[in-house]
Amino acid sequence: MLRVDCTDVDPIKHELVVYVSDQVGAIPTLKLHDFTLSPIDDNETINRQAVITSIKEFLDSIGEIRNFAVISNSDTILIKSVYGKTIKRKPKPVEKMFSCPHCGFVTQYEVEHNNHMKIHYI
């Protein structure tokens, strides 16, 4: 499991977690100022370099690659402002999302989530 500290890029954290988890094929878990990435299969590990590369690609796509450094330390990846600059956009409103703990399926509808969960117990 890898932890990605998003304190300096908090307004774009939700967009970043979606992009990174899709790129590396991991199950994301959002927290207050960070997110964690867990492997889909317990026997696998997450490629730290692939996570760093996808974070840099995302920052480049929004024109912020020169203002932030991506630093890896043990099981934590830190996105740190180089010049003290912070991202000044309001975060998009986040709707309540339901995630399957077995396979990572995500939906915004509780009924759909409950029906999906049933397939794991058939």
Side-chain angles (χ1 to χ4, degrees), residues 2-6 8 48-49 51-53 55-56 59 68-82:
L2 283 177
R3 178 179 163 265
V4 180
D5 186 338
C6 299
D8 286 356
R48 180 181 293 114
Q49 190 58 45
V51 173
I52 292 170
T53 301
I55 292 170
K56 288 180 178 181
L59 291 172
F68 293 93
V70 182
I71 305 163
S72 176
N73 183 12
S74 184
D75 287 338
T76 301
I77 296 173
L78 174 66
I79 304 170
K80 191 71 179 158
S81 176
V82 176

Side-chain angles (χ1 to χ4, degrees), residues 22-46:
D22 282 348
Q23 291 293 316
V24 298
I27 300 171
T29 304
L30 284 171
K31 297 187 177 184
L32 186 59
H33 295 292
D34 58 2
F35 63 87
T36 59
L37 296 170
S38 303
I40 294 173
D41 184 5
D42 290 336
N43 298 327
E44 296 179 1
T45 59
I46 297 181

Side-chain angles (χ1 to χ4, degrees), residues 29-116:
T29 304
L30 284 171
K31 297 187 177 184
L32 186 59
H33 295 292
D34 58 2
F35 63 87
T36 59
L37 296 170
S38 303
I40 294 173
D41 184 5
D42 290 336
N43 298 327
E44 296 179 1
T45 59
I46 297 181
N47 184 339
R48 180 181 293 114
Q49 190 58 45
V51 173
I52 292 170
T53 301
S54 63
I55 292 170
K56 288 180 178 181
E57 286 173 358
F58 182 81
L59 291 172
D60 189 33
S61 73
I62 62 170
E64 295 288 348
I65 190 69
R66 295 177 188 238
N67 298 319
F68 293 93
V70 182
I71 305 163
S72 176
N73 183 12
S74 184
D75 287 338
T76 301
I77 296 173
L78 174 66
I79 304 170
K80 191 71 179 158
S81 176
V82 176
Y83 305 109
K85 181 184 179 205
T86 58
I87 295 179
K88 299 280 189 198
R89 68 168 129 165
K90 293 182 181 178
K92 293 180 180 177
V94 178
E95 298 181 22
K96 191 171 186 180
M97 299 296 280
F98 299 93
S99 176
C100 175
H102 302 289
C103 68
F105 172 76
V106 178
T107 182
Q108 64 182 358
Y109 304 108
E110 186 174 11
V111 173
E112 185 177 9
H113 176 262
N114 292 338
N115 288 334
H116 169 83

